[in-house]
Amino acid sequence: MLFRSEQTIALQDLLPILESDDRFESTAARKLLERLPLDSWKNDVLTSTSQRVVIQGCLALAIVDPSPENTNAIIGKFQELMKGFVSDRNFVDLLRVMQVAIHLAPPTDETRQNLLTTLSEEYPSGNDLMNRELVRLLVGLQCEGITERFLEQLKSDKPEVEKLHLAMHMRFLE
């Protein structure tokens, strides 16, 4: 209702809604966040300890102000989170937000290389959905040295749909 009536809300009131497990609530909260002045919430998002707030807030940051500086900040925060425990759901969402941020504003070469190192260590995971998102990022960022692991996955007993997804993306590797 606040979103449709074009109302604003204080950041402190918005943060608990950003953490919601209900994707409709958290999306509405993110849309409201995007209406607030960037300077009033950017630092709070990038220093938050809540993974859900970071995910939704970084998506808002990438949308509101796409720049290599913000993409680097988003990737840096995500790499920090990935050093600890991240649930499967949150990990997939982190990967998806990184894809959006990178698409809107590519990171610097140094950040790109650091990210590739981190992501290549995660592949392959035991979760097919995670692997799909990892493949998209690793191929999109042109990860060198990942081809052997991709070929091993193609030769494995993975379901055909997973092999097809991988093969479709491998054609974009240079």
Side-chain angles (χ1 to χ4, degrees):
M1 177 144 167
L2 286 170
F3 181 73
R4 282 191 238 149
S5 64
E6 298 189 18
Q7 299 291 316
T8 58
I9 186 171
L11 178 63
Q12 296 311 318
D13 296 330
L14 202 53
L15 291 176
I17 306 169
L18 283 170
E19 287 185 280
S20 175
D21 285 331
D22 183 311
R23 68 183 179 135
F24 297 105
E25 284 181 7
S26 60
T27 298
R30 179 183 48 82
K31 294 280 195 184
L32 287 168
L33 182 66
E34 291 170 8
R35 290 184 179 169
L36 296 176
L38 181 62
D39 294 339
S40 70
W41 57 267
K42 178 180 175 179
N43 189 54
D44 289 318
V45 164
L46 292 174
T47 59
S48 177
T49 57
S50 166
Q51 292 177 1
R52 296 306 305 165
V53 167
V54 171
I55 290 166
Q56 290 293 335
C58 285
L59 180 56
L61 177 59
I63 291 168
V64 170
D65 188 20
S67 68
E69 174 189 328
N70 285 336
T71 299
N72 289 344
I74 290 166
I75 290 170
K77 181 62 179 181
F78 287 177
Q79 286 182 301
E80 176 187 316
L81 289 176
M82 289 166 57
K83 290 177 183 173
F85 173 77
V86 179
S87 70
D88 290 355
R89 174 183 176 221
N90 286 349
F91 189 80
V92 169
D93 287 347
L94 289 171
L95 295 174
R96 289 176 174 166
V97 171
M98 276 192 273
Q99 291 172 39
V100 171
I102 290 167
H103 174 75
L104 294 174
T108 60
D109 286 338
E110 180 182 351
T111 301
R112 180 183 158 278
Q113 286 302 326
N114 289 338
L115 177 60
L116 284 173
T117 301
T118 302
L119 294 178
S120 65
E121 291 171 359
E122 298 290 337
Y123 184 83
S125 75
N127 181 307
D128 290 335
L129 186 55
M130 275 188 223
N131 284 338
R132 288 182 184 189
E133 301 304 329
L134 285 166
V135 165
R136 286 183 179 110
L137 275 165
L138 290 167
V139 170
L141 293 171
Q142 295 297 309
C143 183
E144 296 175 15
I146 198 74
T147 308
E148 286 301 316
R149 280 189 267 167
F150 283 171
L151 292 173
E152 287 174 20
Q153 291 297 304
L154 288 174
K155 294 174 186 174
S156 73
D157 60 349
K158 288 276 191 193
E160 292 299 315
V161 68
E162 300 307 324
K163 291 179 183 181
L164 181 61
H165 178 270
L166 179 56
M168 286 177 45
H169 282 81
M170 281 184 68
R171 67 189 173 127
F172 296 109
L173 276 176
E174 294 177 8

